[in-house]
């Protein structure tokens, strides 16, 4: 991994717009929050190299997926020893909004990274999934579970379900567990405090944890959390609350926490079947992998409610997307693209984006898709970086490439699936698409 990383040039505007969206109007606000130098923040925002760890921490606070915006093409050196005098961050909020409007004016091409905007013409519905979710979220005490590997569209669907709930006048909150600081996962008590405080903050109501957490010593943190919602949060807002929990599989790594937290979610859902106050709580749980942690069947929230597993795009949906990009690709050409990347939503959109942007032709893409000059080079490098940092996963993936009927430990198999590197067909474990198969044969 390079010691330093920078934001990809074409994403600088998108990254800058994340600051006011997260409440940081000036560079100094973010620098003070993270307790790092203003010059580091300035370099990050302007596409100059910063230390790898600082880069990841800034992304975490801004709600950005660092792998999606990092330029890993070269090993860069962090600029240092310079007196950098900072101008205001990115102008006023109005200027930021103007810049964002310019990016998406006339529905210009969107770089396919992160959530697909709510008003995007490039969002492809996977009917009847959206319709089922919209119908379910209107029901008292609803619980929806959305599962799919990375970059399959989970967060984009979550945003639309939350927007549907908001449109009917409900209060809505999304918590991304990948953004929680590592120290939050010390124990169940601290985690549940963070959970309650985060919801209070998102709802813009005063934090009154101290008035309710005395119960924790006598009845446990889960009961204190339940009382906080039942006696304070829900009565204060006095309307339904839809709570979106994104990337909850982060909690799978912490046995003490997942037992208490998932048991609590199941209990709150069951309360919604019989008590009016809890009928006002609707839950949308999003995760990338199978639930491989041991949970009592009666205490698990993963076997109740509406279960949604996002599939890949089919041929018809990709042809629809081709038309939206105004491309001259017939069904035969689409099939050739699918032979390379399958129906993987991100890889399909990424390919069509570059073709529409006239960066490359489909013929050029297919000639040598794994070369260092390929449009997929950065994406493949990020996938290989994940494997480099996890030797156990790298060895398992090597086994999949060599032996198509590889027998993998359950947890390892689910982790590779959550990364989108493999697909499961009965007892077989296969590379998820030919692009990964070709690349990893060389890399591994």
């Amino acid at each position: 991994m390079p010691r330093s990383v920078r934001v990809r040039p074409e994403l600088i505007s998108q990254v800058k717009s994340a600051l006011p969206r997260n409440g940081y109007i000036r560079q100094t606000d973010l620098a003070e929050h993270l307790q790092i130098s203003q010059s580091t923040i300035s370099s990050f925002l302007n596409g100059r190299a910063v230390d790898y760890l600082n880069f990841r921490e800034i992304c975490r606070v801004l709600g950005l997926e660092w792998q999606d915006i990092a330029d890993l093409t070269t090993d860069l050196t962090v600029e240092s020893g310079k007196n950098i005098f900072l101008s205001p961050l990115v102008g006023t909020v109005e200027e930021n909004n103007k810049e964002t409007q310019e990016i998406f004016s006339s529905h210009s091409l969107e770089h396919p990274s992160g959530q697909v905007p709510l008003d995007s013409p490039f969002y492809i519905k996977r009917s009847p999934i959206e319709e089922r979710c919209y119908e379910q979220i209107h029901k008292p005490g609803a619980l929806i579970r959305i599962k799919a590997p990375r970059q399959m569209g989970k967060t984009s669907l979550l945003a639309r379900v939350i927007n549907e709930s908001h449109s009917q006048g409900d209060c809505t909150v999304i918590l991304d567990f990948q953004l929680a600081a590592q120290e939050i996962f010390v124990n169940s008590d601290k985690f549940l405090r963070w959970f309650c405080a985060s919801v209070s903050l998102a709802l813009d109501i005063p934090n009154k944890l101290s008035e309710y957490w005395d119960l924790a010593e006598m009845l446990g943190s889960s009961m204190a959390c339940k009382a906080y919602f039942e006696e304070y949060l829900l009565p204060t807002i006095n309307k339904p609350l839809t709570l979106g929990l994104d990337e909850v599989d982060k909690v799978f790594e912490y046995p003490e926490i997942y037992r208490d937290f998932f048991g609590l979610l199941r209990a709150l859902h069951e309360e919604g079947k019989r008590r009016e106050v809890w009928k006002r709580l609707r839950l949308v749980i999003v995760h990338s992998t199978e639930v491989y942690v041991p949970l009592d069947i009666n205490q698990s929230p993963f076997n109740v409610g509406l279960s949604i597993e996002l599939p890949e795009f089919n041929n018809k949906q990709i042809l629809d997307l081709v038309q939206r990009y105004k491309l001259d690709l017939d069904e035969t050409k689409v099939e050739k693209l699918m032979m390379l990347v399958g129906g993987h939503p991100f890889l399909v959109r990424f390919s069509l984006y570059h073709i529409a942007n006239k960066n490359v032709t489909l013929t050029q893409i297919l000639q040598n898709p794994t070369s260092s000059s390929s449009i997929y080079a950065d994406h493949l490098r990020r996938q290989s970086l994940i494997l480099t940092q996890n030797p156990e996963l790298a060895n398992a993936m090597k086994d999949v490439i060599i032996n198509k009927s590889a027998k993998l430990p359950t947890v390892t198999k689910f982790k590779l699936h959550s990364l989108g590197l493999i697909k499961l067909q009965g007892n077989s474990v296969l590379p998820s698409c030919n692009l990964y198969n070709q690349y990893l044969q060389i890399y591994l």
Side-chain angles (χ1 to χ4, degrees):
M1 178 68 205
R3 290 177 53 197
S4 53
V5 192
R6 67 183 177 192
V7 174
R8 287 155 54 192
E10 69 270 23
L11 298 182
I12 288 175
S13 295
Q14 178 180 326
V15 168
K16 286 182 176 180
S17 69
L19 274 94
R21 187 171 69 243
N22 286 276
Y24 301 103
I25 305 304
R26 302 171 302 158
Q27 288 182 355
T28 50
D29 297 332
L30 182 58
E32 289 173 3
H33 175 77
L34 290 171
Q35 296 187 341
I36 59 179
S37 70
Q38 294 178 355
S39 61
T40 297
I41 300 297
S42 178
S43 294
F44 174 89
L45 293 172
N46 290 287
R48 296 192 294 271
V50 300
D51 178 78
Y52 165 68
L53 294 179
N54 284 336
F55 187 96
R56 291 193 62 169
E57 185 63 9
I58 295 170
C59 288
R60 183 188 67 79
V61 170
L62 295 181
L64 301 168
E65 186 85 17
W66 77 268
Q67 298 100 323
D68 290 340
I69 67 170
D71 182 353
L72 302 176
T73 55
T74 55
D75 193 348
L76 304 165
T77 302
V78 180
E79 295 185 23
S80 60
K82 297 181 180 179
N83 293 321
I84 302 177
F85 297 94
L86 302 177
S87 57
L89 174 60
V90 282
T92 64
V93 173
E94 288 76 18
E95 288 170 338
N96 290 326
N97 289 339
K98 181 180 179 183
E99 183 179 51
T100 303
Q101 290 169 3
E102 289 173 353
I103 294 172
F104 295 107
S105 63
S106 302
H107 293 306
S108 60
L109 296 178
E110 305 161 357
H111 192 276
S113 60
Q115 176 193 318
V116 181
L118 289 173
D119 62 348
S120 171
F122 301 109
Y123 179 79
I124 298 294
K125 285 186 176 181
R126 280 170 272 194
S127 297
I129 287 175
E130 284 84 359
E131 292 80 4
R132 292 178 65 197
C133 288
Y134 298 159
E135 179 184 0
Q136 186 72 14
I137 204 61
H138 291 303
K139 296 179 180 179
L143 189 153
I144 301 173
R145 295 176 285 115
I146 302 173
K147 182 186 73 172
R150 286 185 67 248
Q151 298 183 310
M152 286 285 290
K154 300 185 302 298
T155 301
S156 297
L157 176 59
L158 171 63
R160 282 156 177 78
V161 175
I162 293 295
N163 184 63
E164 175 71 15
S165 180
H166 181 74
S167 68
Q168 68 179 6
D170 298 348
C171 289
T172 57
V173 173
I174 295 180
L175 297 183
D176 186 341
F177 286 76
Q178 290 290 350
L179 302 183
Q182 193 62 38
E183 58 266 25
I184 296 303
F185 296 93
V186 170
N187 55 51
S188 182
D189 182 79
K190 189 163 187 176
F191 177 82
L192 291 176
R193 284 175 180 264
W194 167 84
F195 178 64
C196 291
S198 297
V199 176
S200 294
L201 180 64
L203 292 172
D204 195 26
I205 61 177
N207 180 343
K208 293 189 177 182
L209 275 178
S210 58
E211 298 181 21
Y212 290 86
W213 224 256
D214 288 344
L215 287 172
E217 292 186 9
M218 297 179 290
L219 302 176
S221 302
S222 293
M223 289 300 294
C225 179
K226 181 174 180 291
Y228 190 74
F229 271 76
E230 181 175 332
E231 299 175 20
Y232 176 55
L233 283 182
L234 293 174
T236 299
I237 61 175
N238 197 30
K239 60 172 64 174
L241 168 62
T242 297
L243 189 53
L245 307 178
D246 202 1
E247 302 286 358
V248 300
D249 27 7
K250 170 75 173 178
V251 186
F252 293 175
E253 303 167 27
Y254 307 94
E256 176 197 347
I257 295 174
Y258 74 63
R259 281 192 295 266
D260 289 348
F261 182 59
F262 293 142
L264 173 65
L265 294 181
R266 173 62 180 266
L268 300 187
H269 174 65
E270 296 298 332
E271 288 282 310
K273 296 177 181 178
R274 53 183 175 267
R275 299 183 57 200
E276 287 301 319
V277 64
W278 288 109
K279 289 180 180 179
R280 284 186 264 158
L281 179 66
R282 292 94 192 263
L283 296 171
V284 187
I285 302 175
V286 180
H287 54 111
S288 299
T289 187
E290 295 286 349
V291 182
Y292 56 78
V293 294
L295 289 170
D296 186 303
I297 191 171
N298 297 311
Q299 295 181 322
S300 172
F302 297 104
N303 55 10
V304 291
L306 173 63
S307 176
I308 297 294
E309 185 163 359
L310 285 180
E312 292 190 338
F313 288 160
N314 59 35
N315 185 279
K316 182 179 179 181
Q317 289 164 334
I318 296 177
L319 284 169
D320 182 6
L321 191 55
V322 165
Q323 292 180 352
R324 300 186 192 199
Y325 275 104
K326 297 179 169 49
L327 294 174
D328 184 23
L329 297 179
D330 59 22
E331 190 167 352
T332 300
K333 292 179 179 178
V334 166
E335 287 176 358
K336 289 180 179 179
L337 177 61
M338 291 185 72
M339 287 178 65
L340 179 67
V341 300
H344 190 288
F346 168 75
L347 291 175
V348 169
R349 283 196 66 206
F350 188 75
S351 305
L352 299 181
Y353 165 83
H354 281 283
I355 296 173
N357 235 355
K358 302 189 185 304
N359 298 329
V360 69
T361 65
L362 176 59
T363 300
Q364 291 170 330
I365 287 176
L366 298 175
Q367 280 175 347
N368 196 353
T370 62
S371 72
S372 59
S373 60
S374 163
I375 61 169
Y376 307 116
D378 281 351
H379 174 75
L380 294 173
R381 194 175 292 111
R382 286 191 289 273
Q383 295 289 54
S384 64
L385 173 63
I386 294 172
L387 294 177
T388 299
Q389 295 173 336
N390 296 270
E392 180 184 350
L393 295 184
N395 290 332
M397 195 66 215
K398 183 177 180 179
D399 198 17
V400 171
I401 297 296
I402 295 172
N403 179 12
K404 296 299 188 289
S405 59
K407 302 294 183 183
L408 303 181
T410 300
V411 173
T412 301
K413 178 170 62 177
F414 289 156
K415 286 182 177 179
L416 286 174
H417 184 254
S418 75
L419 294 171
L421 290 173
I422 64 171
K423 57 186 176 182
L424 310 176
Q425 292 184 350
N427 294 325
S428 298
V429 180
L430 305 171
S432 60
C433 66
N434 196 31
L435 175 66
Y436 291 159
N437 188 45
Q438 290 183 38
Y439 177 74
L440 293 175
Q441 280 186 12
I442 300 169
Y443 169 74
L444 294 175

